Amino acid sequence: QVQLVESGGGLVQPGGSLRLSCTASGNIREIKAMNWYRQRPQAPGNKRELVAAIFNNGGTYYDDSGRGRFVISTEIAKNMGYLQMNSLKPDDTAVYYCNADIYTLTTESRALNYWGRGTQVTVSS
């Protein structure tokens, strides 16, 4: 089994910064990709939105809301990922979820998808 645990959320003032961490543990052979999603009350259908992604070839993706403000990174040796969030706005208030595609020790070429339980980020003065 694989578990993802997020940390680093909290209350921050507009313009401030937070760094979210995601720790992956368990039956891990390789992390294929790590993603950060968020769920905001104002999102259509209250759906989770992909904020940023990083792939095992080093490529990254950012959606328009985070591009230029957020930085995604990983520490492969520690099975950890991070989302550095700068210049935070009230509209960034959400529950942030770590999500990853992981090759486990018991799967061969098929990566399985896992979710963390989320961490609350509140941007407010």
Side-chain angles (χ1 to χ4, degrees):
Q1 278 291 355
V2 171
Q3 290 185 329
L4 302 180
V5 178
E6 303 94 338
S7 60
L11 174 64
V12 63
Q13 292 187 344
S17 298
L18 281 177
R19 189 174 85 151
L20 304 183
S21 300
C22 176
T23 302
S25 62
N27 199 23
I28 298 170
R29 180 163 61 87
E30 181 185 0
I31 297 176
K32 179 181 179 181
M34 184 170 280
N35 315 297
W36 287 95
Y37 284 78
R38 67 185 181 186
Q39 190 168 22
R40 300 181 295 167
Q42 67 270 35
N46 199 27
K47 64 181 292 185
R48 294 181 185 182
E49 306 163 297
L50 178 62
V51 175
I54 187 166
F55 307 98
N56 60 1
N57 64 0
T60 57
Y61 162 84
Y62 298 95
D63 82 338
D64 289 342
S65 68
R67 191 172 296 117
R69 298 188 299 129
F70 296 175
V71 179
I72 189 170
S73 61
T74 56
E75 280 191 84
I76 299 298
K78 296 182 180 180
N79 287 331
M80 292 192 67
Y82 307 96
L83 184 67
Q84 176 69 41
M85 303 188 295
N86 303 314
S87 302
L88 283 162
K89 308 172 184 179
D91 198 45
D92 294 316
T93 295
V95 179
Y96 284 73
Y97 295 90
C98 179
N99 170 273
D101 296 319
I102 295 175
Y103 297 105
T104 72
L105 296 174
T106 55
T107 61
E108 296 181 355
S109 59
R110 186 166 62 99
L112 303 180
N113 188 258
Y114 297 90
W115 288 91
R117 293 188 174 186
T119 185
Q120 176 70 46
V121 171
T122 302
V123 184
S124 174
S125 55

